[in-house]
Amino acid sequence: MLQKRDFYINGAWVAPSQVNDCEVINPATAEACAVISLGSQADTDAAVAAARQAFNSWSETPKEERLNLIKALLREYEKRNDDMAAAISMEMGAPIDLATRAQAGSGSSHIEGFIEAFESFEFEKSLGSNEQLIHEPIGVCGMITPWNWPMNQVTLKVIPALAVGCTVVLKPSEVAPLSSIVFAEIVDAAGFPAGVFNMVNGDGVGVGSQLSSHPDVDMLSFTGSTRAGALISKAAADTVKRVTLELGGKGANIVFADADDKAVKRGTFHCFNNTGQSCNAPTRMLVERSVYDQAVADAIAAAGATEIADPTLAGKHIGPVVSEMQYNKIQELIQVGIDEGARLIAGGTGKPEGLEQGYFVKPTIFADVNNEMRIAREEVFGPVLTMIPFDTEEEAIRIANDTDYGLTNYVQTQDPEKAKRVARKLRSGMVRVNGIDSAGASPFGGYKQSGNGREGGIWGLEDFLEIKHITDWQG
């Protein structure tokens, strides 16, 4: 078991102000793999004070110097990719190949994307003959990141904030903090000035709420559940700080009769990826009735082909869900689906045979679901797919939009005009057509209770900037 780790504040590793230990559980074994300290108000205050003190000099540092430091961070990150993957696999159960390629790899990919966007970014723009728009860093940014894609979210927040001249206090999830400790080591090795980046471990009730309400924090960027996002917004209201939220999802995957023959298999595997623990997972598969029976058969086959195994093993299997609490929530919702009368066609309650020790969940599929059932409306955040038949294009759009969420929807059709028409009518921040993801940096974020703001590329840089308009500009 790893020993207790300290906090990174003002360019140094510092001991917590008081003893408040928390075990990190390896979800594959249900045993402790590390011990961290949870921060107190004094720790949060120290980190915010360090960020505040560093802000003026960092915000005035020339763009090229900040860019070079981020490039140095990328080099250090790439050196530590295997360490990062090992930490992620151990703390949240991602199979090691997925942890290496996608989980840790998403961090370096985002850093590269922000470097490209920042190189061409202009902080000053003319507006008419003698007016100027100036982009300025918003200030000290508190960041609260989740356990399901830890480096994806840390880099989507920390890198653009540092690039544009903000200073940062990061609170990673206490469920999966080890990867952020590695990240803090990477920042330190890259040579950033003291106080520009700070990290304090803690829980949502403690450090999370302290950052949200702190008068010296100018902005709070949060990724997590919609419930927690609402609480953070309320806590931040008294200080009127900017709050950006990337929250839950209940994505619809609309499979039309003219979809390609791999669409259902692809969508099922996508739902189960990362053991279903992705906010943009296509968890509601809407299938045109004329091909519904075949789609059900294809989904059953895909579930049967989904292997579950220890995350330390190489391969394309799925691992455990992150915690006992998450496991129990998923089991409850699977039982709810059975009780509601949905047809269970794969998986079900209980653990897979031979994997009784950790928090492993059977890949589960419900057919003949209607959109009023809880399993169609609540974010399960596990390997659980619901299948809903539809008769017309208009009905598919109505069902897809009949949700509190609006993060990512999916369309499967070989008719380009239909794809465009449907994509325009879907109320979500992202629409993916025929299994094609974004080719480069793109805006990640949603409508409705999936949050606000956009992360990634130039949009991610703009999230951390204020806009100043100056008249009678003689420059």
Side-chain angles (χ1 to χ4, degrees):
M1 186 171 71
L2 297 179
Q3 297 302 306
K4 184 169 66 178
R5 304 304 298 266
D6 295 333
F7 306 150
Y8 187 77
I9 299 175
N10 205 26
W13 293 96
V14 299
S17 60
Q18 62 188 47
V19 177
N20 187 13
D21 290 348
C22 173
E23 289 185 333
V24 180
I25 304 299
N26 181 335
T29 64
E31 296 176 350
C33 62
V35 177
I36 61 167
S37 294
L38 300 181
S40 66
Q41 183 71 59
D43 301 310
T44 302
D45 290 344
V48 172
R52 175 59 62 196
Q53 184 175 11
F55 174 68
N56 285 344
S57 59
W58 179 245
S59 63
E60 295 173 1
T61 299
K63 172 184 173 180
E64 195 65 28
E65 289 185 30
R66 296 200 302 265
L67 179 60
N68 287 337
L69 279 168
I70 292 170
K71 289 179 178 179
L73 189 154
L74 175 61
R75 292 192 294 270
E76 293 295 332
Y77 190 102
E78 289 172 337
K79 291 178 188 176
R80 299 291 302 276
N81 191 78
D82 288 350
D83 296 335
M84 185 67 76
I88 293 171
S89 182
M90 181 166 59
E91 69 188 357
M92 60 80 59
I96 191 62
D97 286 358
L98 177 73
T100 302
R101 173 183 50 81
Q103 287 274 6
S106 67
S108 53
S109 177
H110 288 315
I111 299 170
E112 290 171 352
F114 283 123
I115 288 172
E116 181 179 354
F118 189 55
E119 284 178 328
S120 60
F121 187 81
E122 296 181 359
F123 283 85
E124 298 188 11
K125 299 177 182 178
S126 295
L127 185 68
S129 58
N130 65 339
E131 299 178 38
Q132 196 79 355
L133 287 179
I134 297 179
H135 292 84
E136 296 181 339
I138 194 168
V140 175
C141 299
M143 298 177 174
I144 302 173
T145 55
W147 48 260
N148 61 319
W149 285 91
M151 276 307 106
N152 182 73
Q153 292 307 133
V154 167
T155 53
L156 276 173
K157 298 180 189 300
V158 172
I159 302 304
L162 296 183
V164 301
C166 295
T167 54
V168 166
V169 179
L170 170 67
K171 187 209 84 67
S173 168
E174 71 277 17
V175 176
L178 306 182
S179 53
S180 288
I181 292 171
V182 175
F183 183 80
E185 294 172 352
I186 291 169
V187 174
D188 186 64
F192 281 78
V196 169
F197 170 84
N198 307 272
M199 186 200 71
V200 179
N201 284 311
D203 56 19
V205 174
V207 175
S209 61
Q210 292 158 16
L211 283 174
S212 302
S213 60
H214 204 291
D216 283 335
V217 171
D218 300 296
M219 174 178 173
L220 199 291
S221 179
F222 171 78
T223 297
S225 71
T226 298
R227 180 193 62 81
L231 292 173
I232 284 168
S233 297
K234 292 175 182 177
D238 287 343
T239 51
V240 200
K241 59 172 56 66
R242 183 185 300 177
V243 177
T244 59
L245 304 170
E246 199 277 283
L247 307 175
K250 194 69 178 176
N253 184 8
I254 303 175
V255 180
F256 287 101
D258 63 350
D260 66 272
D261 59 5
K262 295 181 180 179
V264 172
K265 178 181 178 181
R266 183 173 63 239
T268 304
F269 285 153
H270 191 175
C271 176
F272 294 161
N273 185 50
N274 202 42
T275 320
Q277 299 169 124
S278 299
C279 52
N280 62 345
T283 53
R284 292 183 297 152
M285 185 178 287
L286 281 50
V287 183
E288 194 163 357
R289 198 175 299 275
S290 62
V291 294
Y292 181 73
D293 289 344
Q294 183 59 53
V296 168
D298 291 347
I300 293 172
T306 302
E307 297 182 6
I308 317 158
D310 190 296
T312 61
L313 300 175
K316 293 185 177 180
H317 53 275
I318 65 173
V321 295
V322 73
S323 66
E324 182 179 18
M325 182 175 71
Q326 191 67 18
Y327 174 83
N328 290 337
K329 174 195 170 187
I330 294 165
Q331 295 300 304
E332 177 191 353
L333 283 170
I334 292 173
Q335 186 60 53
V336 165
I338 295 170
D339 295 343
E340 286 180 321
R343 179 160 59 104
L344 182 68
I345 59 173
T349 56
K351 295 180 179 179
E353 184 178 353
L355 293 169
E356 290 83 7
Q357 184 177 6
Y359 306 126
F360 293 89
V361 175
K362 299 174 186 176
T364 297
I365 304 177
F366 286 101
D368 305 345
V369 175
N370 68 65
N371 209 47
E372 302 307 312
M373 294 180 177
R374 279 182 62 189
I375 54 171
R377 305 204 70 82
E378 295 185 22
E379 188 177 35
V380 180
F381 229 59
V384 179
L385 174 67
T386 61
M387 300 185 72
I388 303 172
F390 69 86
D391 291 300
T392 65
E393 180 179 316
E394 292 73 21
E395 183 186 13
I397 294 167
R398 178 185 60 77
I399 295 172
N401 288 337
D402 181 19
T403 174
D404 293 333
Y405 299 105
L407 189 59
T408 315
N409 285 307
Y410 302 79
V411 179
Q412 318 297 327
T413 176
Q414 297 303 293
D415 181 343
E417 292 306 313
K418 183 192 294 182
K420 292 177 184 177
R421 188 168 63 243
V422 173
R424 286 182 178 276
K425 293 182 179 180
L426 293 174
R427 297 287 296 167
S428 59
M430 296 168 284
V431 179
R432 301 288 180 256
V433 179
N434 295 329
I436 299 175
D437 208 342
S438 59
S442 59
F444 190 99
Y447 293 10
K448 300 189 282 186
Q449 292 188 26
S450 287
N452 55 61
R454 293 297 183 269
E455 296 182 321
I458 190 172
W459 308 273
L461 298 172
E462 291 173 344
D463 253 2
F464 295 96
L465 290 167
E466 294 281 21
I467 297 176
K468 179 180 291 183
H469 176 220
I470 304 175
T471 61
D472 196 23
W473 182 263
Q474 302 300 319

